[in-house]
Each structure stands twice: as structure tokens, then as C-alpha cells.
Amino acid sequence: MKITTTGRKVNLKPNFLSLVEEKLGKLDKFFPAEVQANVTVTVEKDWQTVEIAIKDRTAYFRSEKSAPSMELALEDAVEKLESLIVKNKSKISRKHKGNAYKYEELPVLPAGEVEEEEYEVVRKKVFNLEPQTVDDAILEMNMLDHSFFMFKDVVTGEINVVYKRKDGKYGLLLPE
């Protein structure tokens, strides 16, 4: 696994970098050697967040955890990622055409040309809608650690949205 680390508002020390290598080494058994892992550490006052994103040719996995220390946050993020992978191992091994995501920043208008709007769109996310089952869409949403996911239903061909409810169950939005 190829690991890239980034520190936001912090300089990462060599002992932490070796800890990242050690902890992510536990996940090598799930991925081929050419897989790219990005670890981002953000420090805000007394709270530190570790985000891990692993991208291979068939899927995209993401975990983010916060804790008082970056070591604890790293431990929690790796555990969460590993449990998601193990829990969904058979589903993941099925067809997954994930990581078709492309980010496109919207242009910023100069001061004085800004229209009076109640809502401001600051990012546009464009991605390829591969036909999926509802279960595959929920799996991908969970692997991305998102609260909702838009997909094209493999049976109906319609654009649908799955989302995670506050009670831990899932909802499905269908077009009329």
C-alpha cells in the first residue's frame, strides 16, 4: 500500500508516520500493493481528526475519526475502516465500479458581481452513475462514510437516493 500523509495545522513527526505505516499495514491483506492510501491529520485546538481514504481500481473507502490525540484518532479510524471492510467483504468483492467521483470547483465571482442569493453553492460534485442495486448503493455510501448516496437503480433505470436515518436504518428516495 502506498501511503501519503498530510498534516493540516500540524507538522507530523516521524514516530507518528511510522505508526501510520504500522496501523495501515493491517489492511494490506485486503488490497493489492498498488493501492493508494491518503491520511490527513487536522488539528483544531485540543481536538485532532484523522481521515483515511483508500482508493483502488474498483472501490473507494473512507474513514474519519476525531480524538484528543492524533494517535487515538488514527487507531479509531483504522478500526472503523477494517470493521467496514470485514463486515462487507463478500459484498465488496462483487462488482464495484466505485470511485467515479470528480470534483469540480465552481468559479468565484469578484466582489460586487455577487448575486443576492439565500444559498451559495461552493462545490459541484460530478460523478458517473453506474447502475446498482439498493444494497450496493448502501454499501458504497457506508464505505464513503456519507449520510446519503445518489445512484441509478439497476432494475428501473431511475435515479434514486439512499440515506441513513437518525435511528440507524436506511431510507430510499424515489422519483415520481
Side-chain angles (χ1 to χ4, degrees), residues 45 150 168:
K45 296 186 182 183
M150 183 172 60

Side-chain angles (χ1 to χ4, degrees), residues 79-91:
E79 283 180 19
K80 179 180 176 185
L81 205 53
E82 185 175 26
S83 68
L84 281 171
I85 292 168
V86 169
K87 177 181 168 186
N88 298 299
K89 187 175 180 183
S90 62
K91 294 178 185 176

